[in-house]
Amino acid sequence: MIHIIWVALTLIGVIFAMFNGTMEEVNKAVFSGAKEGVTIAFGFISVLVFWLGLMNIAEKSGLLEKLGNLFKPLMRRIFPDVPPEHPAMGYMLSNLLANMFGLGNAATPLGIKAMEQLKKLNKNKDQASRSMITFLALNTTGLTLVPTTVISIRMTYGSHNPTDIVVPTLLSTFFATIAAIMIDRYFYYLRKRKGE
């Protein structure tokens, strides 16, 4: 569906440009946007390779497993409907850890796998389960310790101190995560009280 929306937006833009006589500006924007996209992608590569390498080292050294064990009691409290040894718990934990290190690209497939497992746990119902809603809220707020993507964009555009964003990102995502959990719990207990 999303590809249809993008094609429609592109066609509307081109038709609008033809009638307004601004096709030259559209052509310039297309080529400059493509060039800028490649520049940003190359900026991402160096930072992502570094952090993915560190994640790989952390996994092989057992650090990720220790971090996972550290967060398991918290995960059990946040997701009481998910059995501790269910594959969904592992995928959710890996997804949240990848997001903490700013590896959104690596976190996405893990998040999709987690949702698939949560849907199986929900007996493949079309309605989202409590755990699915909570996971989506946590994933959306994305508690981030190291905002890898933002740092790489700042490096690409010549920021004098690209890591200045670390503390504000940590604080804003921390408070957003706390707020998401509180709101999620509020609506859960509200639904429970109404007997839904």
Side-chain angles (χ1 to χ4, degrees), residues 19-195:
F19 284 111
N20 278 349
T22 56
M23 261 326 260
E24 188 176 336
E25 285 85 354
V26 170
N27 286 333
K28 285 179 185 174
V30 165
F31 289 111
S32 68
K35 180 182 174 187
E36 199 164 317
V38 170
T39 304
I40 290 171
F42 277 118
F44 282 157
I45 290 171
S46 60
V47 177
L48 282 174
V49 165
F50 173 73
W51 281 105
L52 285 171
L54 278 182
M55 287 287 280
N56 198 14
I57 291 168
E59 182 183 3
K60 288 196 184 341
S61 69
L63 181 63
L64 274 185
E65 189 178 336
K66 287 177 183 169
L67 276 173
N69 290 335
L70 180 73
F71 285 107
K72 268 188 182 176
L74 179 64
M75 292 290 283
R76 284 188 199 127
R77 289 189 56 78
I78 294 173
F79 299 100
D81 299 345
V82 180
E85 301 308 318
H86 194 277
M89 191 65 84
Y91 285 123
M92 287 189 296
L93 196 51
S94 298
N95 170 272
L96 295 173
L97 285 172
N99 274 329
M100 280 184 190
F101 292 105
L103 301 171
N105 296 337
T108 301
L110 296 167
I112 292 169
K113 285 284 190 190
M115 279 298 195
E116 286 172 357
Q117 291 297 323
L118 288 171
K119 186 169 183 176
K120 285 180 187 173
L121 199 60
N122 195 29
K123 298 182 176 90
N124 289 319
K125 292 179 188 170
D126 288 334
Q127 187 177 7
S129 68
R130 172 188 178 187
S131 297
M132 292 169 90
I133 294 167
T134 304
F135 179 62
L136 184 62
L138 286 177
N139 213 312
T140 303
T141 58
L143 177 62
T144 306
L145 302 176
V146 184
T148 311
T149 305
V150 178
I151 290 171
S152 67
I153 290 171
R154 289 171 58 95
M155 285 171 59
T156 300
Y157 286 101
S159 172
H160 294 292
N161 201 346
T163 57
D164 274 352
I165 197 74
V166 172
V167 173
T169 301
L170 176 61
L171 291 173
S172 62
T173 58
F174 174 76
F175 288 118
T177 301
I178 297 298
I181 292 170
M182 289 170 63
I183 292 167
D184 174 65
R185 287 300 181 258
Y186 171 75
F187 281 106
Y188 169 71
Y189 289 118
L190 195 68
R191 280 194 313 270
K192 197 173 177 184
R193 193 179 308 161
K194 287 181 180 177

